């Protein structure tokens, strides 16, 4: 009976991988990486580092509990009586407990286990089970301690039904407690940490053989998996991988970490960190969103698959060991003299620990100073003659030539480093390293990162230009391994496409033929929304259309137009706020004023109103649901107004009221300003919140702030093209205001944009679905398991881009992979849900090549595929299928409309197809 239960448990622990043994992770540090830990089957955390596990982790993770020793710093240590203590453990500065004492056992259940149970923990990792051997002497004393431990563990199991345990050693306890045990762990199979000597030490063959024998007995006699916890220096990740591989060869689950177990180590699975710490120099009170770091560096970091954690250099830095949790650190500072000594020391410590550091703009450390020694930076004298180029890498002068007059902001030279120089200058006998990739990371100094370029024959606009190729530089400097990259631009091989409208000027009177002096909203309804039936997110400003707003006499007319718009099936509802704040921070500082002291408009002058975030966001949404939306339709999101720089409090208010959010970012790349500096980020973290940016901008910026030319919005097609080729940076988002429908030229330009977009092979979605994909981008976890890839996310984002060096998947034995598309601008892997696992291929198995609808079901079997698709337009999809396969739906064979080799394209007038079956018999 017990063996059968444990066999079922083992299968359950295998998770997404059918044949994969369970994986384990131990993390005792602060800032618990909950998302990354979801990829492991057996997860142990230090509960003192968090109030409670996240809702999706309740009942899953194991809480660390020391039964045999207590640290004086534990919150329950003060209640430990002196007669409950056997002795001390000097190596860890702990007290060894007398577990033969029933009062102590009751105390531990009441003060340790029960509070954890109340927090949501149902699984426990019992540590220090053999510590009594440090103090108890004689067989009788040892027997009493073992009996006390057995009784304690059995009492916990009886008092907390369903509790499950992992034991650290405790081999002699298993005959009595194995019914409740999920795994047995032990430390130091190949490499141990000696706290007394403060160094790592190989385990002797004799000690290893003894432990392997005990592990074998556990697996043989009880069918319980075993775990070895070994230790390696954080900076020596390769050694950790080697040890983990050695452990796994013994059918033992490995976990290799640092002695404090406060880093994300290496086990059967190794999470490839996606978080990157990005440090700016904009002081509090100023708009850090306009810093060079945010304007320029966040986009390429996100394209490389990284998730920014953005902080000011005087902010508290992440606690614990960053190695394994963070892919690296990027600084972009322009006033290095403001950088404190504490930050410089901390940065040098991270570099010593093996965390890649990339310095952009100005150096945060002083060349020749103590902290600079780890970076190998030596000061050079200021040049007395104009510098000249002595070495220039191909990635330099990326978007503009080097200036004729070369400048050196930080005169330094890199010494004693294995490196790849990107730009080296010389003046007289002195040399200056301006940009380089080093063994610790890399740096690129002003003005050779981004510089402003004046108008020329090729471009009439003043704009910034990348002086180095940012993707190549960051990829190389951060030592990023080739890995599948979450991608929000694409689904099922097609570029995402959606429409969203800010509701500004809904009441404005049209100059359009046939609609003169009618509201622009009416023109939009008749000329655009009824003609182009694609997913569209429409917002209104309550203060413009409601009876409590600026135009009460027209409210009946305006609300009627809005109701007819929101009644359309292909229209999704969003709020554009109540009073349309133009400058969010300033408006919140002066809630009772519609204008600032200098006369600038802060928001619409709605009568008798003082700005309130709840009223602006959830209040306007509830107004829409009560007065404008048909039954069953709800407001999905808020589209930020004005400067689109909401505060963390505004973002929190939206989230707490169930509203997604979008707008901001200012992606404005055009043929006259073809710079990647004008392609902006997916969004920005703000404290615990996240602002999602619009993929591109609206007609206001293409029409000279609505001063003309009014046909200018058609230039957004240039933006769409330049963010598609040679690299797909963005989806297609037709983004405009209501007033675009008020003029003949602007309305004509909007039709041209729609017609162009719908002529492309796109995958239509709603704006809320795109926002959900961006949020899922931040949550997604990628790991290696041997030569296989394992990914986990929320299921909203379904695409992974494969960089050079990552092979397409072998589909036949994959999990959660529907197919892939390996032509430009991919390759893209199509996921069927939130979790996937695959080995490198390719193989000849059938799969999905592309589709304009979303997979709602997918199953691979020996004879072929079963899948379902749902979209917003008539479905079209392409399968890669061997000769002789037949696609059937509801008993009827579907014939392809086109074929190219093994690629079969199908089309249907339906928007949903359930249980399509591709049958491929040998």
């Amino acid at each position: 009976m017990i063996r059968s239960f444990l066999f079922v448990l083992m299968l359950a622990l295998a998770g997404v991988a059918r044949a994969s043994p369970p994986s384990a992770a131990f993390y005792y540090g602060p800032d618990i990486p909950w998302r990354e830990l979801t990829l492991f089957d057996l997860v142990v955390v230090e509960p003192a580092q968090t109030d409670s596990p996240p809702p999706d982790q309740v009942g899953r993770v194991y809480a660390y509990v020391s039964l045999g020793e207590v640290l004086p710093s534990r919150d329950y240590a003060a209640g430990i009586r002196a007669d409950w203590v056997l002795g001390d453990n000097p190596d860890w500065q702990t007290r060894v407990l007398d577990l033969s004492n029933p009062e102590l056992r009751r105390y531990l259940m009441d003060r340790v286990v029960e509070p954890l149970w109340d927090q949501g923990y149902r699984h426990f990792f019992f540590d220090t089970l053999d510590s009594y051997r440090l103090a108890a002497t004689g067989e009788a004393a040892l027997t009493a301690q073992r009996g006390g431990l057995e009784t304690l563990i059995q009492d916990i199991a009886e008092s907390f039904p369903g509790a499950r345990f992992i034991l650290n050693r405790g081999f002699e306890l298993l005959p009595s407690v194995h019914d409740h045990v999920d795994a047995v762990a032990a430390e130091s199979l190949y490499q141990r940490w000696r706290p007394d000597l403060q160094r790592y030490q190989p385990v002797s063959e004799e000690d290893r053989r003894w432990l392997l024998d005990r592990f074998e007995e556990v697996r043989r006699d009880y069918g319980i998996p075993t775990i070895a916890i070994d230790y390696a220096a954080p900076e020596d990740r390769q050694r950790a991988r080697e040890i983990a591989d050695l452990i796994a060869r013994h059918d033992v689950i490995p976990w290799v970490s640092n002695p404090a177990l406060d880093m994300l180590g290496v086990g059967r699975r190794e999470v490839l960190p996606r978080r990157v710490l990005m440090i700016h120099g904009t002081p509090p009170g100023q708009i850090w969103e306009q810093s060079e770091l945010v304007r320029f560096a966040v986009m390429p970091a996100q394209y490389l698959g990284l998730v920014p954690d953005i902080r000011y250099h005087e902010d508290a830095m992440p606690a614990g060991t960053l190695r394994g949790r963070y892919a690296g650190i990027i600084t972009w500072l322009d006033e290095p003299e403001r950088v404190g000594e504490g930050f410089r020391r901390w940065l040098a410590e991270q570099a010593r620990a093996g965390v890649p550091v990339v310095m952009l703009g100005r150096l945060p450390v002083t060349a020749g100073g103590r902290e600079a020694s780890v970076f190998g930076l030596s000061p050079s004298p200021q040049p007395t003659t104009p510098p000249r180029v002595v070495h220039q890498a191909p990635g330099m002068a990326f978007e503009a030539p080097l200036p004729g007059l070369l400048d050196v902001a930080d005169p330094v030279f890199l010494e004693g480093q294995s490196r790849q120089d990107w730009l080296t200058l010389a003046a007289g006998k002195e040399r200056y390293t301006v940009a380089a990739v080093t063994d610790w990371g890399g740096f690129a100094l002003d003005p050779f990162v981004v510089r402003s370029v004046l108008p020329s024959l090729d471009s009439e606009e003043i704009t910034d230009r990348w002086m180095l190729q940012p993707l190549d530089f960051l990829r190389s400097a951060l030592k990023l391994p080739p890995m599948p990259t979450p991608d929000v631009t694409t689904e099922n091989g097609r570029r995402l496409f959606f429409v969203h409208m800010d509701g500004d000027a809904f009441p404005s009177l049209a100059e359009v033929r046939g609609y003169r002096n009618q509201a622009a909203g009416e023109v939009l309804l008749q000329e655009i929304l009824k003609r182009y039936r694609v997913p569209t997110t429409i917002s209104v400003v309550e203060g413009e259309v409601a009876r409590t707003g600026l135009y009460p006499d027209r409210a009946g007319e305006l609300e009627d137009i809005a109701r007819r718009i929101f009644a359309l099936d292909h229209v999704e509802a969003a709020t554009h706020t109540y009073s349309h704040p133009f400058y969010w921070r300033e408006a919140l500082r002066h809630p009772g004023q519609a204008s600032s002291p200098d006369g600038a408009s802060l928001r619409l002058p709605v009568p008798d109103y003082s700005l309130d975030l709840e009223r602006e966001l959830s209040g306007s949404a509830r107004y829409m649901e009560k007065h404008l939306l048909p039954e069953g339709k709800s407001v999905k999101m808020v589209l930020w107004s004005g400067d689109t720089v909401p505060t963390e409090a505004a973002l929190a208010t939206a989230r707490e009221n169930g509203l997604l959010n979008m707008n901001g970012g200012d992606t404005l790349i055009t043929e006259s300003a073809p710079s990647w500096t004008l392609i902006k980020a997916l969004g920005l973290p703000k404290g615990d919140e996240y602002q999602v940016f619009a993929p591109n901008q609206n007609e206001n910026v293409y029409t000279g702030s609505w001063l003309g030319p009014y046909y200018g919005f058609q230039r957004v097609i240039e933006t769409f093209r330049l963010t598609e080729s040679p690299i797909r940076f963005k989806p297609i988002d037709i983004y405009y205001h209501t007033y675009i429908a008020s003029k003949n030229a602007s309305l004509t330009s909007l039709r041209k944009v729609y017609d162009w977009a719908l002529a492309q092979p796109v995958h239509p979605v709603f704006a809320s679905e795109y926002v959900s994909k961006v949020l899922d981008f931040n949550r997604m976890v990628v790991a290696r398991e041997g030569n296989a890839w394992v990914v986990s996310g929320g299921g909203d984002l379904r695409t992974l881009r494969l960089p050079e060096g990552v092979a397409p998947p072998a589909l036949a034995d994959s999990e959660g992979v529907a197919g892939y598309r390996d032509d430009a601008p991919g390759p893209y892997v199509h996921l069927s849900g939130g979790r996937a696992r695959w080995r490198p291929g390719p193989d000849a198995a059938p799969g999905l090549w592309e589709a304009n609808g979303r997979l709602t079901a997918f199953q691979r079997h020996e004879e072929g595929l079963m899948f379902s698709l749902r979209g917003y337009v008539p479905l079209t999809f392409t399968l890669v299928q061997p000769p002789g396969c037949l696609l059937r739906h509801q008993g009827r064979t579907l014939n392809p409309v086109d074929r190219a080799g093994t690629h079969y394209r199908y089309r249907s007038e339906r928007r949903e197809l359930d249980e399509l079956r591709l049958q491929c018999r040998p």
Side-chain angles (χ1 to χ4, degrees), residues 438-493:
T438 70
D439 53 4
W440 48 261
F443 64 97
L445 304 178
D446 287 338
F448 302 101
V449 188
V450 169
R451 63 185 290 263
S452 295
V453 176
L454 297 174
S456 67
L457 294 176
D458 298 323
S459 171
E460 71 270 20
E461 301 183 32
I462 300 177
T463 188
D464 297 304
R465 294 285 194 271
W466 277 107
M467 299 307 295
L468 50 73
Q469 214 282 20
L471 300 180
D472 290 348
F473 184 81
L474 289 178
R475 184 187 293 114
S476 182
L478 290 171
K479 325 298 182 194
L480 298 179
M483 60 182 279
T485 303
D487 189 288
V488 304
T489 70
T490 305
E491 183 158 337
N492 289 337

Side-chain angles (χ1 to χ4, degrees), residues 812-877:
D813 64 349
S814 66
E815 291 278 342
V817 179
Y820 61 90
R821 182 170 184 168
D822 59 2
D823 60 349
Y828 296 111
V829 173
H830 321 322
L831 306 185
S832 60
R835 291 175 73 91
R837 182 181 187 276
W838 73 90
R839 295 181 301 103
D843 58 13
L848 182 67
W849 174 259
E850 58 88 23
N852 67 347
R854 186 173 180 81
L855 284 164
T856 56
F858 183 85
Q859 184 178 1
R860 186 178 298 278
H861 51 80
E862 290 184 2
E863 295 183 352
L865 309 173
M866 189 284 288
F867 61 100
S868 301
L869 287 169
R870 181 186 301 148
Y872 298 109
V873 295
L875 289 170
T876 178
F877 58 96

Side-chain angles (χ1 to χ4, degrees), residues 314-334:
E314 291 186 4
D315 290 343
M317 293 297 126
T321 302
L322 270 58
R323 183 74 172 181
R325 283 190 293 146
Y326 283 78
I329 302 168
I330 300 173
T331 70
W332 195 322
L333 307 174
D334 54 10

Side-chain angles (χ1 to χ4, degrees), residues 130-325:
D130 55 359
S131 294
Y132 63 86
R133 295 179 180 277
L134 297 173
T137 58
E139 188 57 36
L142 294 172
T143 301
Q145 293 301 320
R146 282 196 299 270
L149 271 171
E150 291 170 355
T151 301
L152 176 57
I153 293 172
Q154 290 168 342
D155 287 349
I156 293 171
E158 292 172 7
S159 301
F160 303 96
R164 303 294 301 172
F165 312 133
I166 297 175
L167 306 186
N168 189 1
R169 295 187 176 246
F171 301 113
E172 67 277 12
L173 308 176
L174 287 174
S176 299
V177 304
H178 64 269
D179 284 0
H180 312 291
V181 175
D182 291 339
V184 174
E187 297 172 84
S188 307
L189 187 61
Y190 277 90
Q191 185 162 280
R192 60 167 52 98
W193 169 251
R194 289 286 303 271
D196 54 336
L197 301 176
Q198 290 293 294
R199 64 181 177 86
Y200 301 92
Q201 184 181 77
V203 174
S204 69
E205 181 61 33
E206 180 183 2
D207 287 352
R208 179 162 48 252
R209 187 69 263 162
W210 182 91
L211 185 53
L212 287 172
D213 289 344
R214 301 293 80 71
F215 279 159
E216 176 60 30
E217 291 168 0
V218 171
R219 296 194 300 271
R220 182 192 63 221
D221 296 344
Y222 305 105
I224 296 175
T226 54
I227 305 168
I229 306 168
D230 275 32
Y231 300 105
E235 63 271 21
D236 197 352
R237 197 74 170 177
Q238 184 55 37
R239 178 59 180 156
R241 296 185 185 108
E242 293 167 356
I243 294 172
D245 182 62
L246 289 170
I247 293 171
R249 294 179 188 180
H250 299 288
D251 293 326
V252 176
I253 302 169
W255 184 251
V256 186
S257 185
N258 65 331
L261 289 169
D262 67 348
M263 79 173 205
L264 209 52
V266 179
R268 285 195 185 275
R269 292 176 176 172
E270 179 186 1
V271 170
L272 300 184
R274 296 184 55 229
R275 280 188 275 188
V276 60
L277 188 60
M278 304 187 75
I279 310 298
H280 66 82
T282 303
Q286 299 183 28
I287 303 177
W288 62 269
E289 294 94 332
Q290 295 178 1
S291 65
E292 286 90 348
L293 180 91
V294 171
R295 290 166 55 211
F296 304 131
V298 173
M299 183 283 289
Q302 289 175 328
Y303 179 81
L304 293 171
L306 302 178
V307 179
D309 175 354
I310 302 176
R311 308 192 186 203
Y312 177 51
H313 62 74
E314 291 186 4
D315 290 343
M317 293 297 126
T321 302
L322 270 58
R323 183 74 172 181
R325 283 190 293 146

